[in-house]
Amino acid sequence: WSAAAAAPAFKLTALPTEVEGGDELRLVVTVATGGEVLNTLGGAVVWPPLLQLQDIREVGSVVALWVEQPHLIGGRLVFSGSTPGGFRGNSASVFTVILRALKPGTAVIRLVEPELYRNDSSGKALAVSPATATVIIREQTRPPREVITPFDRTPPLPFAPVRDHVAELFGGDWFVSFVTQDMESGIERYEVAEWPGPPLGETSGLTWEVAQSPHLLKDQSLMSSVYVRAIDRAGNIRLAVLPPVAGVFS
């Protein structure tokens, strides 16, 4: 006889669980797969006004491709992503949130609308219960304590953007898709620029815009070079360039 494996579930862990006003704390979001192989997850994290968001870190996340990178919208921290080929583990990291305690009280943090999917072709979501964590905030009696941010001089990992077009996106127009990871401070944002001609030797003359993948290309003739840069939270940059489509300038 052997005990049945626990069902797949999210977990919220507050570190520490007791703080004073002004202190920062970490909220770690993990997932236990319960013996299953999962490939897609999502949900939203909510907290009371006793707490304030300071930072979001995806370093070491089990998620390889973010559909919605964790971000605040309407007072909810929403997220969704996937890992091609699936993942398994008892405490797989999803992301970590840095929060600041604003005033005394009991703050209950909730992960709501949880979604977990098996790594199969069924397309069916597993039954998952919401997760909670509680933080006790006491009156301030000392200088506030902050979560130390690791010093990061390493740029995001190399990546290769891809041009493509499919009928289901942008009316069939050409777009560029891209993704990479940063193993220390995490990806802050992506930026895209287009240059009418072969790649430049330097990038100071480019006009950059913040972008998400997939990103609709302005030049649908494909005669432009496409620059994509990934910027981590420490300001380190990794640049990737797509030259014009072969034969355009021949």
Side-chain angles (χ1 to χ4, degrees):
W1 178 88
S2 61
F10 282 102
K11 183 179 180 181
L12 298 181
T13 304
L15 301 169
T17 57
E18 292 192 16
V19 296
E20 293 188 2
D23 287 352
E24 290 184 345
L25 62 114
R26 290 187 296 145
L27 178 74
V28 183
V29 182
T30 57
V31 62
T33 64
E36 301 273 6
V37 178
L38 309 179
N39 69 359
T40 302
L41 54 78
V45 181
V46 295
W47 53 80
L50 297 174
L51 299 168
Q52 182 182 66
L53 178 65
Q54 300 297 297
D55 197 8
I56 306 167
R57 300 174 183 173
E58 302 100 23
V59 178
S61 175
V62 71
V63 176
L65 301 172
W66 288 107
V67 178
E68 279 193 282
Q69 199 166 7
H71 67 287
L72 268 183
I73 180 169
R76 295 152 49 94
L77 186 71
V78 299
F79 66 95
S80 64
S82 64
T83 297
F87 61 90
R88 176 185 289 169
N90 292 325
S91 185
S93 174
V94 183
F95 59 90
T96 297
V97 179
I98 309 302
L99 299 168
R100 184 181 297 279
L102 298 181
K103 56 184 178 181
T106 300
V108 178
I109 308 167
R110 296 181 173 88
L111 193 155
V112 299
E113 301 171 13
E115 293 184 344
L116 293 174
Y117 292 83
R118 287 192 185 94
N119 185 44
D120 60 25
S121 59
S122 68
K124 294 181 179 179
L126 298 170
V128 188
S129 299
T132 63
T134 301
V135 178
I136 306 299
I137 307 170
R138 307 194 185 281
E139 292 281 359
Q140 183 177 349
T141 63
R142 48 165 172 72
R145 294 174 178 170
E146 296 184 349
V147 174
I148 297 174
T149 301
F151 189 64
D152 177 10
R153 286 185 175 176
T154 305
L157 297 176
F159 65 106
V162 175
R163 286 191 190 91
D164 204 351
H165 66 110
V166 294
E168 296 80 10
L169 285 175
F170 306 118
D173 285 348
W174 286 90
F175 60 85
V176 60
S177 59
F178 44 84
V179 68
T180 187
Q181 290 183 307
D182 185 85
M183 306 311 292
E184 296 188 28
S185 59
I187 298 294
E188 170 70 25
R189 68 185 184 278
Y190 294 94
E191 296 180 348
V192 172
E194 297 181 49
W195 177 258
L200 298 168
E202 50 85 33
T203 61
S204 61
L206 297 175
T207 300
W208 296 93
E209 62 177 306
V210 176
Q212 292 184 330
S213 181
H215 174 77
L216 178 66
L217 292 172
K218 291 183 173 68
D219 182 4
Q220 290 292 307
S221 73
L222 308 187
M223 296 179 67
S224 294
S225 298
V226 179
Y227 294 76
V228 183
R229 62 185 183 187
I231 305 171
D232 68 20
R233 288 191 169 89
N236 301 303
I237 297 173
R238 176 71 70 179
L239 178 67
V241 184
L242 282 172
V245 171
V248 169
F249 290 97
S250 60

